[in-house]
Amino acid sequence: MKLHGIHVPHRKNTVDSTPVRMPVPAVVTVPMSMNIGAPAKPVVKAGDTVKVGQLIAEAGGFVSAPIYSGVSGKVKKIDQLLGSNGRYDTTIVIESDGQQEVYEGITPPQVTDLDSFVEAVRQSGVIGLGGAGFPTAVKLKVKPEQVEEIIINGAECEPYITSDTRTMLDDADSIIEGVRLLQKYYAPQRVIVGIEDNKPQCVQKMKEAGRDLSGYEVAALPAIYPQGGEKVLIFNTTGKIVPEGKLPIDVGAIVINCTTLAVIAKYIKTGMPLVEKVVTVDGSAVAKPQNVIVPVGTSMKDVLDFCGVKSEPKKVLYGGPMMGISVASLEAPVMKNTNAVLAFAEKEAQAPVTTACIRCGRCAAHCPLNLMPASIETAYVNNEPEVLKELKVNLCMECGCCAFGCPAHRPLVQVNKLAKAMLNQYNAQQKALLEKQKEKETKEAAANV
Ligand code: SF4
Ligand code: SF4
């Protein structure tokens, strides 16, 4: 079996840019919904003073993550503000005092066994920093005997983004410390660092850094997008296929982003939770493309002001051009899983003219999961959720390969997102109908006794 993908222009302009720390922003706005799952719940109120690393919001459930302040200062307000997803979200606004005073309660966690390790990961506030945003502690809450391979995701296959590349080059020791912890508590047969072969310096660095480890290997993978997609990476490093509706752990695999692992290792060593991010700032409107370190909650405007703009940005993305999300306002903040801010000038920002599908089949040929995007679009337009189910639209990882290769510029990813929502709504309706039917039958059976 072959997993498809596409060759995209790499545009890794910032690969040699060692991250620089931006001046502390005057204000940070910290949304509570930065992870997949339940939003965090504020534990501070307007007027409270906070310090760097201080808890400002606790996890809102099992699939959730706590949030810590990236600045010292005063909580200005807690309000419902419009988030990047177009929904209002509880947001903590903090005015920085510019002092960056560190919270006195910062101490390394006591990690003595698997449970305390997972608890430490939970307390670190870490979520999938490669962009997924899934709370990492939930992913690690598995039995060691289930784990055969742990795959460290250093693929960084999206054009432009080099923040993981910099972690591998600048902080390989933290990644390796994280590997040691994973080996200690899960004893996997193999730990594989997956890196695209267009980053030979990272392959070299990670090989050298882990040369004393056994059961550790670095896989140089073809630079074919989306090499960093979880299921794609599992297949290309282990040959295993994650079945539909199953998780990586069901085939014995765990995938962790390399920066995520480095942050976990540093938290366990120092006690400083996730409060800041390395963000790649690039795009045709940016005067000085570079990697910057910013407190979580820093506005896009502050980031772009620091790097400078050559022309007014007409399109600004969270993340890369393939899977990134366009932001409506430059006030939108850098979130925990933001790894890039891309600002484009007029020419690149213009959406291409969409024409009729010519049934060329390129979208299906490029889909890494062998889906049929043109047929999905037809089923969506015809309001056919049963057909969408047969076409397995819920497997779509929204990677954008289909749209990238479409000569008619069909908005296939957007349609797939809508089609998934249509199918999920249909499934919920079917479930409710079934439950109602069962309830009716139970009542009738009781009446007939
Ligand atoms: S966005 Fe979905 S349908 Fe399109 S190529 Fe990626 S996985 Fe396939
Ligand atoms: S690539 Fe575009 S034009 Fe070709 S079949 Fe798919 S949707 Fe139609």
Side-chain angles (χ1 to χ4, degrees):
M1 184 185 161
K2 182 177 178 296
L3 286 186
H4 308 286
I6 51 172
H7 291 279
V8 291
H10 298 139
R11 301 203 171 116
K12 304 280 187 182
N13 310 313
T14 54
V15 68
D16 294 324
S17 163
T18 305
V20 292
R21 197 170 291 280
M22 245 182 67
V24 189
V27 173
V28 291
T29 55
V30 187
M32 297 298 99
S33 297
M34 291 194 276
N35 54 264
I36 289 176
K41 292 181 190 158
V43 296
V44 290
K45 56 186 187 317
D48 284 356
T49 53
V50 293
K51 293 181 180 172
V52 177
Q54 183 173 342
L55 182 75
I56 55 172
E58 62 189 10
F62 176 65
V63 184
S64 186
I67 300 172
Y68 301 85
S69 182
V71 297
S72 59
K74 190 173 268 189
V75 177
K76 188 179 167 197
K77 61 177 178 177
I78 299 175
D79 210 347
Q80 294 294 315
L81 299 181
L82 196 61
S84 60
N85 55 6
R87 295 196 198 120
Y88 281 89
D89 186 13
T90 304
T91 303
I92 301 176
V93 181
I94 305 171
E95 277 177 337
S96 160
D97 59 13
Q99 301 303 309
Q100 290 302 82
E101 253 186 88
V102 174
Y103 181 55
E104 307 73 26
I106 299 289
T107 48
Q110 291 287 318
V111 175
T112 51
D113 55 14
L114 178 61
D115 285 345
S116 55
F117 172 67
V118 175
E119 179 58 18
V121 175
R122 202 177 78 79
Q123 292 302 336
S124 72
V126 166
I127 60 174
L129 301 180
F134 189 74
T136 309
V138 179
K139 195 182 260 193
L140 291 174
K141 190 101 181 114
V142 294
K143 294 190 181 96
E145 52 270 29
Q146 289 177 276
V147 183
E148 291 167 7
E149 293 99 3
I150 296 180
I151 301 147
I152 312 303
N153 191 347
E156 203 162 53
C157 55
E158 271 265 10
Y160 291 97
I161 308 177
T162 60
S163 51
D164 283 346
T165 296
R166 288 317 313 183
T167 304
M168 288 185 274
L169 294 178
D170 303 331
D171 204 7
D173 289 348
S174 291
I175 300 174
I176 295 301
E177 184 50 35
V179 171
R180 285 187 209 282
L181 289 163
L182 293 173
Q183 287 186 323
K184 183 172 177 185
Y185 294 118
Y186 294 93
Q189 291 157 21
R190 299 165 73 199
V191 174
I192 311 156
V193 186
I195 304 172
E196 281 195 337
D197 59 11
N198 62 349
K199 295 180 262 296
Q201 68 280 48
C202 293
V203 173
Q204 178 74 12
K205 184 84 186 188
M206 292 312 302
K207 276 184 180 170
E208 274 169 21
R211 62 186 175 279
D212 297 336
L213 296 173
S214 59
Y216 170 88
E217 58 198 277
V218 177
L221 304 164
I224 295 176
Y225 179 86
Q227 190 62 264
E230 195 168 61
K231 289 178 182 174
V232 176
L233 192 60
I234 292 171
F235 180 76
N236 286 344
T237 51
T238 68
K240 292 179 175 180
I241 295 173
V242 181
E244 184 186 353
K246 298 285 181 188
L247 296 168
I249 195 62
D250 294 317
V251 296
I254 293 177
V255 179
I256 298 185
N257 166 269
C258 60
T259 303
T260 302
L261 189 57
V263 173
I264 290 170
K266 284 192 279 191
Y267 172 69
I268 289 174
K269 192 172 174 192
T270 67
M272 179 57 79
L274 176 66
V275 293
E276 62 185 19
K277 278 305 305 279
V278 173
V279 178
T280 299
V281 188
D282 203 344
S284 57
V286 177
K288 194 178 174 210
Q290 59 189 300
N291 285 307
V292 295
I293 306 169
V294 300
V296 170
T298 304
S299 74
M300 299 270 180
K301 183 179 179 308
D302 285 339
V303 173
L304 290 173
D305 281 351
F306 176 72
C307 297
V309 289
K310 289 189 278 192
S311 57
E312 193 196 338
K314 295 292 181 188
K315 186 175 189 178
V316 178
L317 296 179
Y318 272 123
M322 298 302 292
M323 291 189 74
I325 296 171
S326 181
V327 298
S329 159
L330 288 184
E331 296 307 321
V334 168
M335 298 195 286
K336 283 183 181 180
N337 59 343
T338 306
N339 46 17
V341 173
L342 302 183
F344 295 100
E346 180 85 50
K347 192 173 154 216
E348 293 81 5
Q350 276 172 0
V353 176
T354 299
T355 54
C357 171
I358 56 169
R359 318 305 289 179
C360 66
R362 278 188 217 172
C363 50
H366 288 155
C367 177
L369 301 179
N370 296 309
L371 302 179
M372 295 197 287
S375 304
I376 290 171
E377 187 184 22
T378 306
Y380 172 73
V381 171
N382 292 340
N383 195 9
E384 295 173 324
E386 283 287 352
V387 179
L388 290 174
K389 194 187 271 184
E390 280 169 30
L391 292 169
K392 302 188 185 301
V393 67
N394 270 343
L395 284 180
C396 172
M397 56 182 169
E398 300 168 16
C399 66
C401 289
C402 49
F404 183 84
C406 174
H409 305 298
R410 308 291 311 164
L412 298 170
V413 182
Q414 288 87 334
V415 169
N416 282 3
K417 287 182 187 180
L418 293 169
K420 284 202 271 186
M422 177 188 278
L423 178 56
N424 290 342
Q425 192 182 18
Y426 173 77
N427 285 341
Q429 281 167 353
Q430 292 299 105
K431 196 176 162 206
L433 276 177
L434 211 66
E435 276 167 12
K436 219 170 177 184
Q437 179 68 24
K438 264 192 202 159
E439 202 181 297
K440 192 177 159 209
E441 284 171 8
T442 312
K443 272 186 192 161
E444 282 173 357
N448 289 336
V449 171

